[in-house]
DNA sequence: AAAGCGGGGTC
DNA sequence: GACCCAGCTTT
């Protein structure tokens, strides 16, 4: 692994020098004693990964949120449901839906057999309802191909509908204690700041970022993967609670004194690192969401009345029709004769 | 690599 | 009003 990276020159005096530990080897690698002061100021060093692991894992053990899918008694299925619900949806909104879901469908086979209309209604307004369809399809695949159990390897998980690189690794790690490389938006940001020195990781997950994530994984030999899983969970939690996208709380960050981004003077995000939102008003996603909101309220409705009643004055008749047809094509809605409903309702 | 896909909280 | 959130799938 590259041990020292030459980054942008510091734009302001480091404010954390006084707080850096004096224990030998516990701070960012110091510049060689022979370097001049000018040369030293021009260098920013990446932190020692093992020290960051220890600090962040220790922090996690004290400050981690008490989330139900982290409980020791939570089933692999509970972990998997949480991971799918958490795809692009904040924890606080997932919590109540997850509790209801697990109460209602405590095993994969229970969801596999449920009417799709009920599944979509229970999904409520978590967003991206295709996730609910795929989760049910995944449950059906588990019944058919895995004896109704959640697969215990990332490779097998990856074959399930709606399970991508992140979710496969996360379920394998958090449900089965396997040392997979878990990389979500929080972890990408923590890596970008602490190790790369960037304000934000950027929109796309690059091969360089994946390589860094692999290199940062703790060795698995000593404990069979326990530290690796702890690192995954801890880095994610740090990104969610402290190293946030908007206003990171560096004052209480356990690795503030080791952070490459801080050492570089906390530069603002570059143009390249800006994410740019997708837009919402006027999009098909908004119209589709409005249609789904009506369908979730109950029985079949006349197609024309449904489309007319949408609370979106800006949406043209063409857009409304196109969106309903796309929902039907996605399996999120069904039409018999002129009446529309959730599928199977 | 980029676009499409939901919805709500926050600054 | 723009940004952000434990991403996945398709083009």
């Amino acid at each position: 692994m590259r041990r020292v990276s030459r980054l942008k020159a510091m734009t302001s005096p480091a404010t954390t020098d006084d707080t850096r530990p004096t224990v030998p080897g516990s701070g960012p690698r110091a510049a060689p004693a022979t370097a001049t002061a000018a040369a030293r100021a021009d260098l920013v060093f990446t932190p020692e990964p093992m020290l960051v692991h220890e600090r962040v894992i220790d922090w996690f053990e004290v400050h981690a949120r008490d989330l139900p899918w982290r409980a020791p008694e939570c089933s692999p299925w509970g972990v998997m449901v949480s991971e799918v619900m958490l795809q692009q949806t904040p924890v606080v909104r997932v919590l109540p839906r997850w509790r209801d879901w697990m109460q209602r469908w405590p095993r994969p086979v229970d969801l596999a057999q449920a009417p799709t209309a009920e599944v979509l209604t229970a999904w409520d307004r978590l967003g991206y309802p295709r996730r609910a369809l795929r989760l049910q399809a995944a449950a059906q695949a588990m019944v058919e191909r895995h004896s109704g159990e959640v697969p215990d390897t990332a490779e097998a998980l990856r074959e399930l509908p709606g399970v991508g690189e992140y979710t496969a690794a996360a379920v394998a790690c958090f449900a089965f204690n396997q040392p997979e490389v878990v990389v979500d938006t929080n972890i990408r940001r923590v890596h970008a700041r602490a190790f790369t020195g960037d304000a934000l990781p950027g929109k796309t997950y690059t091969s360089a970022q994946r390589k860094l994530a692999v290199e940062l994984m703790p060795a698995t030999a000593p404990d069979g993967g326990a530290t690796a899983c702890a690192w995954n969970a801890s880095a994610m939690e740090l990104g969610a609670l402290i190293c946030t996208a908007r206003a990171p709380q560096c004052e209480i960050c356990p690795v503030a004194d080791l952070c490459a981004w801080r050492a570089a003077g906390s530069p603002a995000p570059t143009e390249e690192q800006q994410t740019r939102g997708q837009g919402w008003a006027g999009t098909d996603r908004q119209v589709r969401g409005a249609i789904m909101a009506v369908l979730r309220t109950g029985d079949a409705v006349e197609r024309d009345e449904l489309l007319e009643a949408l609370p979106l004055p800006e949406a043209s008749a063409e857009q409304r029709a196109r969106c309903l047809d796309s929902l039907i094509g996605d399996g999120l809605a069904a039409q018999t004769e002129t009446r529309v409903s959730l599928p199977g309702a």
Side-chain angles (χ1 to χ4, degrees):
Chain A
M1 176 192 304
R2 181 187 304 116
R3 294 263 165 190
V4 178
S5 63
R6 185 183 291 269
L7 299 172
K8 208 175 168 204
M10 289 195 226
T11 55
S12 66
T15 56
T16 56
D17 282 350
D18 293 340
T19 66
R20 284 184 185 173
T22 54
V23 179
S26 64
R29 249 173 244 90
T34 54
T36 65
R40 190 176 303 127
D42 198 34
L43 289 173
V44 174
F45 296 89
T46 57
E48 173 66 53
M50 287 185 60
L51 183 54
V52 176
H53 294 158
E54 184 179 346
R55 293 256 203 104
V56 177
I57 291 170
D58 286 351
W59 168 86
F60 179 85
E61 289 171 356
V62 175
H63 298 284
R65 292 168 292 182
D66 186 20
L67 301 173
W69 45 85
R70 285 180 179 159
E73 66 270 20
C74 182
S75 66
W77 171 240
V79 173
M80 178 165 173
V81 171
S82 78
E83 293 299 343
V84 173
M85 287 184 171
L86 287 163
Q87 293 167 2
Q88 298 290 278
T89 304
V91 167
V92 286
R93 269 206 290 158
V94 164
L95 272 170
R97 296 296 106 233
W98 183 88
R99 295 183 198 280
D100 292 349
W101 194 280
M102 295 308 295
Q103 176 90 18
R104 192 165 184 178
W105 299 300
R107 302 167 302 170
V109 65
D110 300 314
L111 182 67
Q113 295 170 351
T116 301
E118 290 184 21
V119 174
L120 291 171
T121 302
W123 193 258
D124 197 36
R125 291 177 294 183
L126 287 179
Y128 297 140
R130 294 196 286 204
R131 290 183 292 165
L133 291 186
R134 289 174 180 147
L135 184 55
Q136 184 175 37
Q140 290 162 350
M142 287 184 252
V143 170
E144 292 170 13
R145 307 203 301 263
H146 299 282
S147 307
E149 302 291 327
V150 177
D152 62 0
T153 68
E155 182 182 8
L157 285 159
R158 185 66 181 76
E159 299 303 313
L160 298 172
V163 177
E165 180 177 358
Y166 163 77
T167 304
V171 174
C173 179
F174 301 142
F176 298 107
N177 208 39
Q178 297 189 16
E180 294 291 334
V181 182
V182 178
V183 181
D184 75 326
T185 187
N186 290 308
I187 290 178
R188 288 180 61 222
R189 186 173 53 251
V190 169
H191 291 176
R193 291 197 180 134
F195 294 97
T196 311
D198 291 332
L200 292 172
K203 183 72 175 174
T204 58
Y205 184 34
T206 65
S207 58
Q209 291 174 3
R210 182 179 285 98
K211 182 169 180 288
L212 174 62
V214 170
E215 291 173 344
L216 288 173
M217 288 300 290
T220 58
D223 59 19
T227 303
C229 291
W231 166 240
N232 285 330
S234 304
M236 196 179 303
E237 191 77 339
L238 188 74
L241 297 183
I242 304 293
C243 194
T244 55
R246 202 70 65 91
Q249 296 184 261
C250 301
E251 318 76 42
I252 57 175
C253 177
V255 291
D257 58 308
L258 306 178
C259 178
W261 178 59
R262 294 266 293 171
S266 304
T270 67
E271 195 73 20
E272 194 76 9
Q273 293 163 354
Q274 305 278 5
T275 50
R276 329 190 265 288
Q278 302 174 336
W280 172 244
T283 62
D284 283 4
R285 279 163 47 243
Q286 184 187 31
V287 177
R288 286 165 55 103
I291 294 171
M292 289 300 294
V294 173
L295 295 181
R296 278 195 306 267
T297 62
D299 301 328
V301 295
E302 284 295 328
R303 176 186 172 102
D304 291 343
E305 294 175 11
L306 164 66
L307 294 183
E308 196 123 351
L310 295 180
L312 298 170
E314 312 288 315
S316 68
E318 291 75 18
Q319 185 183 26
R320 295 168 195 234
R322 178 178 73 243
C323 287
L324 176 53
D325 290 338
S326 75
L327 288 170
I328 294 169
D330 289 342
L332 289 164
Q335 181 171 345
T336 59
E337 301 299 327
T338 60
R339 297 179 75 78
V340 178
S341 67
L342 294 176

